[in-house]
């Protein structure tokens, strides 16, 4: 049975929402249900969408100041006491700056801390390369015990936040700043450890994460006009990754394009490549940052320049099919 | 049981002997720091400061003890074993495959361990998180103790945590710093000066005490004073002699990160046994 998405999937009137908004909503829902939920932030309360939580639960909101190492350590200490801390900042700072604290104080020590990295990807735009996290998936998925989630839109970010709060163990959730199409709906399935096929096809598999899932669907829609049928898989759960869904798909299509707003080394594409190598090796092309830093510019300009949009995906699809 | 000062000194002497034996068996590990902190650990675990139940390490209202400078764990392991958290015979497994006594502490296997440590500067933040949970969220009466090294104060994270604890007036938190003036590359004041040290902590909103880290009475009194300070966290700077109790190790930074060999261990144990005899006769 095909996955349900919005009706006006390719309409110009599709609702645009920032992915990070779903985190703020999810946190409030969780906190209403569970008084162990606490939220910590490093001087970025509004831009990480924690404002509503901070207002509704002031006694459970902790302002840490600009101190991400302490943020991770405080989270570990609170988790040690049975709380479920959501430690929140920009992804370049957390998990960027405090990786050692996340490794030892959180993961190795078995502390149930949720790490929320907002403003990930090149679509951060004008702030430039320093603020565009392009390495966060690589440095979190390498950590034992860590779960890594990359939601594709605000609704999925809400579901991911709630699911993270309900599971035991460290979770990294990657969020984006810019408004992107909200194309999933309440009924669209979401489960940690599962990848869902958002569009079925026989010629190529596109394994995408984050905003690139929508671009992949756009690309598939365009390519269908040329007679190329793409199977689009949403890799929201980068770790644990759904080996079965990916393997079943490439057995049918015989090639794969990965797409993400992240360095091609160590990110979603690498995680998928590990699955292919273990199970059913097929040609793969990587849409993502080719070992380069970002730069200032408008989000859509940057996405286009670095070929992480539907055009870039179409190009990669044609290339990978020619390698079959 | 309540220990007299003499009994505490004897206990510290036993712990020092165990440290030497552990390091000898392990063939690697740190000598100076653990020996220097034997009195502080003895005061904490046997001087009526820490509230714990060795048969029930997870007792909800226990005091939390966080070791931030994981490399001095031999002294912690010995203190925990003497306190009954696990048999003293297990101390010989230090750093060996299958042990619960890893080269740097791992909370998931160490009875009585609240945190894992090793990379310096991480413990205080965790202790602060626990103290915040206890004071502000759970509103429970237990306290948090965090032992740090002095070299570790060069880590920026320490001061992030210090600022947060000061701002939030975490009165249930007591820090203890092993001020032994050495680190791997030399004397702290040569490697990276910490002085004026007391003033630094005061400037971050802490009540600061300085003690002779080998004087049981002073250590215990300072920990008790900290309990009476209502509006601030307390930092106790413990002036210690690295390698304390073993003449050829005392004051020498070369002994920071190495274990004694057979001959050195034999000599160290002889010295410590003699010292033990002196403690007994002095108090008689």
């Amino acid at each position: 049975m095909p996955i349900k998405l919005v009706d006006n999937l390719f309409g110009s009137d599709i609702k645009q929402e920032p992915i990070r908004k779903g985190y703020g909503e999810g946190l409030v829902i969780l906190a209403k249900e569970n008084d162990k939920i606490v939220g910590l932030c490093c001087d970025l309360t509004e831009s990480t969408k924690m404002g509503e939580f901070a207002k509704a639960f002031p006694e459970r909101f902790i302002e840490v100041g600009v101190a991400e190492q302490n943020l991770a350590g405080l989270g570990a200490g609170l988790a040690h006491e049975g709380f479920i801390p959501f430690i929140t900042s920009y992804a370049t700072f957390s998990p960027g700056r405090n990786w050692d604290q996340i490794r030892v104080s959180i993961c190795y020590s078995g502390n149930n801390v949720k790490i929320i990295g907002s403003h990930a990807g090149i679509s951060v735009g004008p702030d430039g390369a320093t603020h565009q996290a392009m390495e966060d998936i690589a440095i979190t998925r390498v950590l034992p015990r860590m779960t890594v989630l990359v939601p594709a839109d605000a609704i999925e970010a809400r579901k991911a936040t709630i699911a993270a709060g309900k599971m035991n163990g460290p979770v990294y959730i990657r969020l984006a700043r810019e408004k992107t199409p909200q194309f999933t709906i309440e009924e669209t399935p979401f489960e940690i450890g599962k990848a869902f096929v958002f569009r079925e096809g026989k010629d190529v598999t596109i394994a995408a994460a984050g905003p690139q899932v929508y671009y992949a669907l756009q690309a598939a829609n365009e390519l269908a006009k040329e007679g190329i049928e793409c199977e689009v898989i949403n890799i929201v759960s980068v770790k644990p990754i759904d080996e079965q869904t990916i393997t079943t798909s490439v057995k049918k299509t015989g090639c794969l394009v990965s797409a993400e707003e992240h360095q091609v080394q160590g990110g979603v594409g690498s995680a998928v490549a590990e699955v292919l190598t273990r199970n059913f090796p097929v040609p793969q092309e990587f849409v993502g940052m080719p070992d380069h830093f970002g730069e200032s510019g408008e989000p859509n300009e940057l996405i286009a320049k670095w070929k992480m949009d539907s055009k870039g995906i179409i190009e990669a699809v044609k290339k990978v099919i020619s390698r079959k | 049981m309540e220990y007299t000062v003499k009994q505490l000194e004897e206990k510290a002497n036993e712990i020092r002997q165990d440290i030497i034996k552990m390091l000898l068996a392990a063939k690697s590990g740190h000598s100076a720091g653990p020996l220097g902190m034997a009195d502080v650990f003895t005061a904490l675990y046997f001087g009526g400061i820490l509230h714990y139940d060795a048969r029930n390490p997870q007792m909800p209202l226990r005091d939390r003890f966080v070791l931030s400078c994981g490399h001095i764990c031999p002294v912690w392991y010995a203190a925990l074993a003497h306190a009954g958290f696990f048999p003293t015979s297990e101390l010989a497994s230090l750093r060996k495959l299958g042990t619960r006594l890893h080269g740097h502490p791992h909370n998931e296997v160490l009875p009585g361990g609240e945190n894992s440590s090793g990379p310096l500067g991480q413990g205080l933040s965790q202790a602060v998180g626990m103290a915040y949970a206890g004071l502000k969220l759970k509103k429970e009466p237990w306290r948090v103790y965090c032992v740090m090294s002095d070299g570790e104060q060069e880590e920026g994270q320490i001061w992030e945590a210090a600022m947060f604890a000061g701002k939030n007036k975490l009165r249930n938190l007591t820090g203890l710093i092993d001020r032994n003036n050495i680190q791997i590359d030399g004397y702290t004041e040569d490697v990276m000066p910490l002085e004026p040290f007391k003033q630094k902590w005061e400037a971050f909103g802490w009540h600061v005490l300085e003690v002779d880290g080998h004087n049981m009475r002073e250590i215990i009194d300072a920990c008790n004073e900290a309990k009476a300070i209502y509006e601030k966290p307390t930092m106790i700077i413990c002036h210690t002699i690295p390698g304390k109790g073993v003449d050829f190790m005392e004051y020498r930074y070369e002994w920071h990160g190495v274990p004694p060999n057979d001959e050195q261990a034999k000599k160290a144990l002889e010295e410590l046994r003699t010292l033990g005899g002196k403690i007994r006769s002095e108090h008689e």
Side-chain angles (χ1 to χ4, degrees):
Chain A
M1 209 174 69
I3 293 291
K4 281 188 187 162
L5 300 171
V6 289
D7 293 332
N8 59 338
L9 187 58
F10 302 115
S12 56
D13 60 338
I14 190 166
K15 195 176 178 188
Q16 304 274 336
E17 289 281 14
I19 292 176
R20 59 194 159 123
K21 182 166 174 264
Y23 163 58
E25 293 168 359
L27 190 61
V28 171
I29 293 167
L30 268 177
K32 280 180 186 159
E33 290 174 6
N34 186 345
D35 63 5
K36 295 292 182 195
I37 301 288
V38 292
L40 292 80
C41 195
C42 284
D43 198 28
L44 293 166
T45 309
E46 290 308 321
S47 67
T48 58
K49 298 292 176 192
M50 290 187 85
E52 205 184 317
F53 170 83
K55 205 157 40 164
F57 304 98
E59 73 290 354
R60 285 192 266 153
F61 173 73
I62 303 172
E63 175 59 79
V64 179
V66 193
E68 294 81 12
Q69 301 176 85
N70 192 38
L71 172 76
L74 290 174
L78 288 158
H80 181 271
E81 295 306 325
F83 293 94
I84 305 169
F86 280 70
I87 65 168
T88 313
S89 185
Y90 289 176
T92 43
F93 314 139
S94 175
R97 178 180 289 220
N98 55 10
W99 184 82
D100 180 31
Q101 287 77 12
I102 291 172
R103 175 177 180 262
V104 177
S105 296
I106 295 175
C107 291
Y108 180 52
S109 301
N111 282 316
N112 184 24
V113 179
K114 316 304 169 185
I115 300 129
I116 311 300
S118 186
H119 290 51
I122 199 153
S123 57
V124 166
D127 277 347
T130 57
H131 284 51
Q132 296 159 351
M134 303 295 281
E135 303 80 14
D136 51 311
I137 297 171
I139 63 173
T140 50
R141 81 179 186 91
V142 75
L143 289 170
R145 298 175 171 177
M146 184 72 93
T147 293
V148 179
L149 305 177
V150 182
D153 70 1
I155 287 181
E156 206 169 66
R158 164 156 47 79
K159 292 175 185 172
T161 303
I162 293 168
K166 290 184 174 173
M167 70 162 269
N168 187 29
V171 179
Y172 172 55
I173 303 179
R174 174 186 226 232
L175 304 171
R177 173 188 183 275
E178 189 64 8
K179 283 183 178 176
T180 45
Q182 185 171 295
F183 64 100
T184 72
I185 56 176
E186 295 304 330
E187 295 75 38
T188 310
F190 170 87
E191 193 183 330
I192 292 173
K194 287 271 191 202
F196 290 97
V197 177
F198 274 20
R199 180 186 175 115
E200 290 181 9
K202 61 177 177 28
D203 298 321
V204 60
T205 301
I206 308 175
Q212 273 59 37
V213 178
Y214 185 76
Y215 302 141
L217 290 168
Q218 277 185 321
N221 196 42
E222 289 301 311
L223 286 161
K225 294 170 190 164
E226 300 177 31
I228 298 169
E229 294 299 330
C230 305
E231 180 141 305
V232 178
I233 305 178
N234 176 14
I235 312 287
V236 55
S237 181
V238 178
K239 189 186 175 189
I241 196 160
D242 184 346
E243 303 230 356
Q244 199 184 349
T245 298
I246 296 166
T247 307
T248 304
S249 180
V250 295
K251 278 182 179 167
K252 177 171 63 174
T253 63
C255 63
L256 181 142
V257 168
S258 55
E260 61 192 306
E261 268 184 60
H262 187 276
Q263 301 291 352
V264 294
Q265 303 96 322
V268 178
S270 299
V272 170
E274 289 161 15
V275 173
L276 299 185
T277 310
R278 272 195 293 268
N279 298 283
F280 194 79
V282 296
Q284 178 178 353
E285 288 294 324
F286 295 77
V287 169
M289 201 61 164
D291 195 18
H292 204 283
F293 284 110
E295 60 193 303
S296 286
E298 288 306 314
N300 55 352
E301 293 174 331
L302 292 167
I303 291 280
K305 172 177 175 178
W306 293 98
K307 298 184 175 180
M308 297 177 209
D309 59 356
S310 58
K311 268 184 162 170
I313 293 170
I314 288 169
E315 206 176 290
V317 163
K318 289 183 173 169
K319 191 171 174 196
V320 84
I321 287 176
S322 74
R323 289 175 55 203
K324 274 214 255 188
Chain B
M1 69 176 268
E2 254 189 57
Y3 286 75
T4 63
V5 168
K6 175 189 164 184
Q7 286 167 326
L8 289 172
E9 287 172 354
E10 283 175 350
K11 180 60 79 181
N13 186 270
E14 286 169 28
I15 285 173
R16 284 193 169 92
Q17 292 186 41
D18 278 334
I19 291 167
I20 296 293
K21 289 178 200 161
M22 290 164 80
L23 290 169
L24 178 67
K27 297 188 178 68
S28 70
H30 299 75
S31 299
L35 289 170
M37 284 297 277
D39 300 308
V40 171
F41 274 75
T42 302
L44 289 171
Y45 277 90
F46 302 96
I49 300 302
L50 282 178
H51 180 55
Y52 62 86
D53 179 354
R55 284 159 306 177
N56 181 14
Q58 295 301 312
M59 178 175 70
L61 296 184
R62 72 195 182 279
D63 287 337
R64 274 59 166 171
F65 176 82
V66 174
L67 178 65
S68 186
C69 48
H71 63 275
I72 70 162
C73 60
V75 65
W76 191 23
Y77 295 160
L80 286 169
H82 280 265
F85 284 90
F86 51 86
T88 49
S89 59
E90 198 173 328
L91 292 174
S93 73
L94 174 71
R95 289 179 169 242
K96 291 188 162 53
L97 186 63
T99 188
R100 296 195 288 181
L101 312 181
H102 289 271
H104 292 83
H106 184 28
N107 62 314
E108 291 182 317
V109 293
L110 177 66
E114 308 279 2
N115 70 310
S116 294
S117 62
L120 294 175
Q122 294 196 25
L124 187 61
S125 289
Q126 292 174 77
V128 168
M130 292 174 202
Y132 191 95
L135 186 70
K136 308 263 185 180
L137 300 172
K138 292 178 162 180
K139 303 183 190 343
E140 290 177 351
W142 44 270
R143 297 185 62 80
V144 184
Y145 292 84
C146 180
V147 164
M148 293 175 274
S149 67
D150 53 359
E152 159 169 47
Q153 307 298 309
E154 291 157 19
E155 292 280 7
Q157 188 184 354
I158 293 281
W159 303 98
E160 293 183 1
M163 220 181 281
F164 183 94
K167 174 197 171 186
N168 288 287
K169 302 184 169 28
L170 299 178
R171 61 174 186 269
N172 57 343
L173 174 63
T174 300
L176 299 108
I177 296 172
D178 176 14
R179 184 66 172 123
N180 66 8
N181 297 286
I182 64 158
Q183 56 189 113
I184 296 176
D185 274 358
Y187 297 105
T188 57
E189 298 314 287
D190 293 333
V191 175
M192 191 54 64
L194 297 171
E195 299 295 343
F197 197 35
K198 185 181 186 202
Q199 290 88 327
K200 279 195 176 80
W201 279 97
E202 284 172 342
F204 279 73
W206 290 59
H207 180 66
V208 187
L209 300 166
E210 294 196 78
V211 300
D212 171 353
H214 305 302
N215 184 317
M216 293 292 175
R217 198 70 262 166
E218 277 192 31
I219 302 163
I220 291 167
D221 286 348
C223 288
N224 284 328
E225 181 177 328
K227 292 180 189 173
I229 300 299
Y230 194 75
E231 67 282 3
K232 287 177 179 182
T234 295
M235 185 56 69
I236 303 172
I237 299 172
C238 306
H239 293 277
T240 64
I241 297 167
K244 171 76 176 172
V246 177
D247 189 49
F248 58 90
M249 292 185 182
E250 284 189 0
Y251 295 107
R252 297 175 63 109
Y253 66 78
E254 295 86 347
W255 279 98
H256 170 92
V258 290
N261 61 27
D262 285 330
E263 201 182 317
Q264 289 161 334
K266 197 174 158 222
K267 199 161 168 254
L269 287 171
E270 278 169 12
E271 272 190 41
L272 287 166
R273 285 186 198 114
T274 309
L275 192 67
K278 275 189 193 154
I279 294 166
R280 281 187 290 279
S281 61
E282 262 178 29
H283 287 273
E284 272 158 14

